[in-house]
Each structure stands twice: as structure tokens, then as C-alpha cells.
Amino acid sequence: MTGRDEQETTLDLVVERVATPATGVLEVVLRQANGAELPPWSAGAHIDVVTTDHVRQYSLCGDPTDATSWTIAVLREPDGRGGSAYLHDTLTADMTVQVRGPRNHFELAPAARYVFVAGGIGITPIIPMLAAAQSAGAEWTLTYGGRTRDSMAYAGTLVEQYGDRVRLVPQDEVGLIDLDALLGDPGIADALVYCCGPEPLLAAVEQRCADRPQMLRTERFAPKALELQGDASEFEVELAESGTVLSVPADKSILQVLEEADVPILSSCTEGTCGTCETGVLDGVVDHRDSLLSQQEQDANDVMFVCVSRAKSARLVLEL
């Protein structure tokens, strides 16, 4: 599940420049202080931006072939937890920012045809996907919605670059995206559908693709509302490398138990959305409660996200 092309690392990067591609959106271009190459990444990848009080994930929306800079776009979220506001209010050119990554749980799979659907800042991981699909000679369309035209980052640039393959849907002008017409078209039955945006859009797309879930790929910025697939009973985790067995009580996550036992493991969102704490599973049955894995990936039962997922069996053997 971890991005195949990326090698995750921690870097202190310099802000090369900041810009405002849309109302309420801050574009940040990062580079190494010495101009050295950055780790490679592929369309759909994101990085963690680490500050004193926050760790937040942002999709890379630049050009993967540019080895010396990474570009992210940050939406100011007035009702958020403060991470986006901090970046908007403090970031300036030549500042140093700590980042982790890149990491990819939204990779672009090979296909002859794609249907891309983006809402708001969800356009960011889609942008490099468009370039990759175009380069591969695939057929594709993008339907991009937002509250207003001024709030839709990169909208004008995408239309200029790709013409009528891009359809803009500003809500105040034309209403919501007509998903029934878009996803009900029999001509796209063999297309891969990639969607990123706010939860109502993702849920609506999932509903309309329920009869072909294998064709849908989504990425969330917040955990989806899930009914618990099992209770919160106590269970055990065995760490394969040491043979250590730890008990996970009903009121703690696996991640919390691992951290209390001083087991080295990276984590970030603690909500099952970023993928930082991905852990291999060697034995046992996982109760998946993340917002990342597809049904097929869950059924494979070979990885889990220990910040939220639990066990359906009495013991899990983890690749730790």
C-alpha cells in the first residue's frame, strides 16, 4: 500500500516562494537549501508538514519530473484545528519548514480511460494525475466543482492547458456537479474514477459507483463516517521481530499501546487518513476502520493502520 516509487524521509526545506492561486488558498513551493534533488514521487503522493503544534498532510500538486522542488496548496480552514491558519499567517519566502514523506495511498493505476472528479482543494492530487494520463495517451475528463469560481485553485490554468477535457462547476453559478449524468454514462463503464474533495462529494460518488467499487479510487482529508465493524474488545498484538506480546485494551488504540511500550513507529493524523502508521500484518484478522484501503485491499489482510484499526481475532501478528 505504501507508495512504490517514494522513499519516505524527514527534511528541512526552504520556502522558495508563496502565491495565492485562489481565494483562501496558499501555494507553497519548497526546495533543499543547497538546491539538491528531492526524493522522487508520483501522482497522488502527499507530504506531512511538521510545525511545533501541528502535523498536517498536503498533496503534492507540482510536476513529478521536477526533482528540485515540491509544491503544495493549503486551504485556509477557519473551523479547522489551526494548522492551515498557522501556515497562511506565518509562511514567507526563505523560511525553513520540516516535512516528512513523500507517501502515496492514492496512486494512479494504468488505464485506457479515467474520469476525474474534484471538489475544492481536492484538485491538488488530481493535477499531476492529469499530466500523467495525458502523457500516457489515455482518454480522460475532469469535472471540478467549487463554491465559487474565485475559490477554485488552478481552474483557469487547467482550462487553458487541457481545453474542453476540463469542466468547471462553480456552485454559485450552475449548482452542484450532476453526478448521475456524469457517472451514469454507459460510455465510462470501463473507466477508472478518481475522486478527491469534501466528504459529501466522496460519499455521493461512492454511492453512484457502488455496483463497480473496483473502478473507484478516493482520497479523504478527514475520516469517513463508518459504523464500527466489530466491538472494542481487548486483544493482543505480537511483534514479529522481538516476539513481544502486548495487550490492547478496549479504550486504547494499537498505536497508543505501541508508543507506551516504546516501540518505534511513525504516526501523524491518528484518524486513519494519512497512511503514516501503515503496518504489515503477518497473522490474524484485521478490523479495518481507516479511510484509505479499498475493499480489495482490506480483504488482502496484509496491512493495517494501527491508529484506528483493531482486531477481529484474538491476536494480530504485526511486522514490527
Side-chain angles (χ1 to χ4, degrees):
M1 184 66 184
T2 302
R4 284 79 173 171
D5 298 329
E6 293 79 13
Q7 294 181 344
E8 183 172 333
T9 187
T10 299
L11 296 167
D12 290 322
L13 300 183
V14 173
V15 177
E16 181 176 306
R17 66 179 183 274
V18 295
T20 307
T23 302
V25 177
L26 181 72
E27 179 186 83
V28 184
V29 180
L30 302 165
R31 60 174 173 80
Q32 300 258 41
N34 61 2
E37 289 191 357
L38 293 163
W41 62 281
S42 59
H46 69 262
I47 58 173
D48 296 342
V49 176
V50 183
T51 66
T52 303
D53 299 318
H54 308 96
V55 179
R56 296 291 182 267
Q57 293 75 45
Y58 298 104
S59 297
L60 292 169
C61 59
D63 180 359
T65 66
D66 178 358
T68 60
S69 71
W70 285 345
T71 301
I72 60 173
V74 181
L75 173 68
R76 180 188 281 273
E77 300 183 76
D79 299 325
R81 292 177 291 176
S84 65
Y86 174 84
L87 296 179
H88 272 255
D89 294 340
T90 62
L91 282 191
T92 59
D94 298 325
M95 284 185 64
T96 298
V97 178
Q98 185 179 89
V99 303
R100 294 198 305 243
R103 192 179 308 114
N104 199 340
H105 294 279
F106 194 43
E107 292 178 291
L108 186 68
R113 185 170 184 178
Y114 301 94
V115 174
F116 297 107
V117 185
I121 201 64
I123 190 62
T124 50
I126 300 293
I127 290 173
M129 291 185 179
L130 305 182
Q134 185 86 347
S135 178
E139 292 294 320
W140 63 268
T141 61
L142 166 66
T143 303
Y144 176 17
R147 289 189 178 90
T148 65
R149 194 175 293 268
D150 289 345
S151 72
M152 297 168 64
Y154 308 110
T157 301
L158 292 172
V159 171
E160 289 177 9
Q161 186 171 0
Y162 297 116
D164 60 8
R165 288 193 177 199
V166 175
R167 179 175 175 241
L168 303 181
V169 188
Q171 184 178 346
D172 64 333
E173 297 177 24
V174 297
L176 297 173
I177 298 172
D178 186 348
L179 294 175
D180 290 327
L182 176 63
L183 300 175
D185 181 355
I188 68 163
D190 61 342
L192 287 186
V193 179
Y194 278 79
C195 180
C196 185
E199 181 58 30
L201 173 65
L202 291 165
V205 169
E206 288 175 334
Q207 181 183 30
R208 287 159 178 82
C209 293
D211 61 339
R212 45 179 172 148
Q214 73 281 2
M215 306 302 290
L216 177 62
R217 310 286 192 277
T218 61
E219 182 167 66
R220 283 175 158 82
F221 299 131
K224 59 184 175 181
L226 287 175
E227 292 184 8
L228 295 183
Q229 300 172 20
D231 61 26
S233 300
E234 184 172 340
F235 60 95
E236 293 179 338
V237 291
E238 178 181 340
L239 312 185
E241 293 182 7
S242 64
T244 302
V245 176
L246 301 171
S247 178
V248 182
D251 61 346
K252 290 185 178 180
S253 68
I254 300 175
L255 176 62
Q256 289 173 304
V257 170
L258 293 173
E259 290 177 335
E260 289 173 0
D262 294 325
V263 177
I265 184 166
L266 285 175
S267 66
S268 180
C269 72
T270 69
E271 296 178 329
T273 59
C274 76
T276 308
C277 67
E278 179 181 344
T279 302
V281 179
L282 301 177
D283 196 20
V285 181
V286 180
D287 179 5
H288 293 284
R289 304 186 184 187
D290 64 89
S291 300
L292 287 160
L293 296 176
S294 68
Q295 187 60 55
Q296 293 88 342
E297 289 166 334
Q298 289 185 7
D299 292 344
N301 202 65
D302 57 359
V303 297
M304 71 181 301
F305 299 98
V306 294
C307 63
V308 292
S309 294
R310 300 184 67 81
K312 292 183 178 179
S313 55
R315 177 179 290 191
L316 296 174
V317 181
L318 303 181
E319 201 172 349
L320 290 172

